[in-house]
Structure formats: structure tokens, C-alpha cells
Amino acid sequence: MNTRFTPSRLAPAILLLCAAWLSSSAMAQADEARAKKIVGGVCFVCHGAEGESSSEVFPRLAGQHWEYTAKQLENFKTGKRKSTAMADMVAKLTPDEMVALGQFFEKKAIEVEPPKDAGLAAVGKYIYHNGNKYSGLAACASCHGAEAKGTTALPRLAGQYSGYTETQLKQFNLRERTNDNAVMHAIASKMSPLEMAAVAEYLSGK
């Protein structure tokens, strides 16, 4: 029995692979176009057209893991994460659109600026990488990574506005933010206001 592959046998398989690739590519382009339209219609006002954000009140989304962004959008829609403003923004988004928006912003890059307060950032660097053995505070790097780039389940913190990061730490401490894992409640409860500000300042310049 001759089982050798011949060009005539390979051709259909190659055509199927090409068709699948073209279909996938077309869907990706459609998703990106849809995401760009949504960003241009709503998101850009607060988060910027490239995810750079217009103010420290709003997070920079550029470079953030798409899985994390999509999860936050879903949590805003279901009410797991509280925000009157965001609840209105995501009310009509579909799961596919949330993923598309996450992937759109993940591809964007931001220009990281040096921290405004170098001394405060130096304190933050120590806390981020070493924690505080006197209060039992664990090193932030143990979860978010030495470069603060996070994972698909944990946010990228590098390059985030210091004001936004500090606000989130305070909200975790006050249990005003409850949609992410309870570990952050324990972490934030052991941080002093100075440590929160310092870590946030350090991360803003990474």
C-alpha cells in the first residue's frame, strides 16, 4: 500500500489551512476595527485614543493584559466592581467586544516618564521588591513580578499613573473595591499611607 503524500494530496489540506488563516485574520481585523470605533466613540474621552489616559483619575490601559481589561469590563457590567460611570459605559458591550477592546489596548505603548518625586520612588522601590518585615507586608513583586508587568490574571502596574494606583490601594484597604482577589485586601491593610504613595510613585516610572 502506497501511503506517500503527493502534491495532489497535500493541496486540499494546504487550501484548508490557508482558508482558516484568512478567516481568522479577517475576524481579527474586524474585531480591531470594531474596538477602534468603540474607543473613538466613548473610551477616548477618559482613557485616550491610545490608552494613554487623560488624567490620573483614569487608568492607563495601554499595554495592559487584554484578559485583565476584559475581566474588569465584565465586572463593571455585572456590578462586581462598582462604578456608576463605567456601568453606563459598558452596559451595551458584548463579551466579544470586551475582548476586542482589551486586545486593542494591549497593543498600544505608553511613554513612561521618570517619577516626579525620586526620593519617594526610592522608598517605593524598596517596599515593592522587599515588603516590610516589621508590619508583615509581602513584597509586591512576589505577585506582580520584578518588572511589575503582571500576568494575564494580575494587572500590569508598570507605567501606571501614581494617583490612580494609590487610589486603588486605598479602595482595597477600605473594601470599596472587592472584585479582585482577597489577597489585595490583606496587602493593602498592612500598608501605611506613605507606603501606598511611595509604591505608586515608583511604579509610575517603570
Side-chain angles (χ1 to χ4, degrees):
M1 181 177 178
N2 186 358
T3 59
R4 289 182 302 171
F5 284 106
T6 63
S8 61
R9 290 180 178 178
L10 282 173
I14 292 173
L15 287 174
L16 283 173
L17 286 173
C18 290
W21 180 84
L22 288 171
S23 176
S24 176
S25 178
M27 288 178 63
Q29 290 178 5
D31 287 343
E32 184 169 357
R34 177 60 178 155
K36 189 172 183 179
K37 183 176 181 179
I38 295 172
V39 171
V42 181
C43 311
F44 83 97
V45 176
C46 297
H47 298 286
E50 301 292 312
E52 72 277 17
S53 179
S54 61
S55 164
E56 292 206 10
V57 174
F58 312 113
R60 284 173 162 167
L61 301 179
Q64 187 60 267
H65 301 288
W66 73 261
E67 296 93 338
Y68 184 79
T69 297
K71 175 180 181 289
Q72 298 310 305
L73 292 172
E74 187 273 335
N75 284 182
F76 280 128
K77 185 171 184 176
T78 61
K80 291 180 181 178
R81 184 172 176 180
K82 307 298 182 183
S83 171
T84 302
M86 281 303 301
D88 292 338
M89 295 297 103
V90 302
K92 296 182 180 180
L93 289 181
T94 66
D96 286 346
E97 288 172 336
M98 293 178 187
V99 169
L101 284 168
Q103 293 176 337
F104 174 84
F105 283 121
E106 185 181 45
K107 296 176 182 178
K108 306 301 179 181
I110 56 174
E111 290 187 21
V112 179
E113 301 174 355
K116 297 175 182 177
D117 189 330
L120 186 62
V123 175
K125 180 178 181 179
Y126 180 87
I127 296 298
Y128 183 86
H129 291 283
N130 301 283
N132 184 343
K133 66 179 181 181
Y134 299 104
S135 64
L137 175 65
C140 310
S142 60
C143 289
H144 292 279
E147 297 301 316
K149 293 182 178 179
T151 66
T152 56
L154 297 173
R156 174 193 174 99
L157 302 178
Q160 188 57 266
Y161 279 129
S162 60
Y164 179 78
T165 300
E166 185 178 0
T167 296
Q168 297 310 300
L169 289 171
K170 290 178 179 178
Q171 289 184 352
F172 277 124
N173 184 38
L174 295 172
R175 303 299 193 272
E176 292 177 355
R177 180 172 172 180
T178 59
N179 71 311
D180 285 321
N181 62 62
V183 172
M184 280 308 302
H185 293 157
I187 293 293
S189 69
K190 295 178 180 178
M191 297 182 77
S192 69
L194 173 62
E195 289 172 333
M196 291 183 183
V199 168
E201 186 71 7
Y202 165 65
L203 291 169
S204 71
K206 283 195 65 63

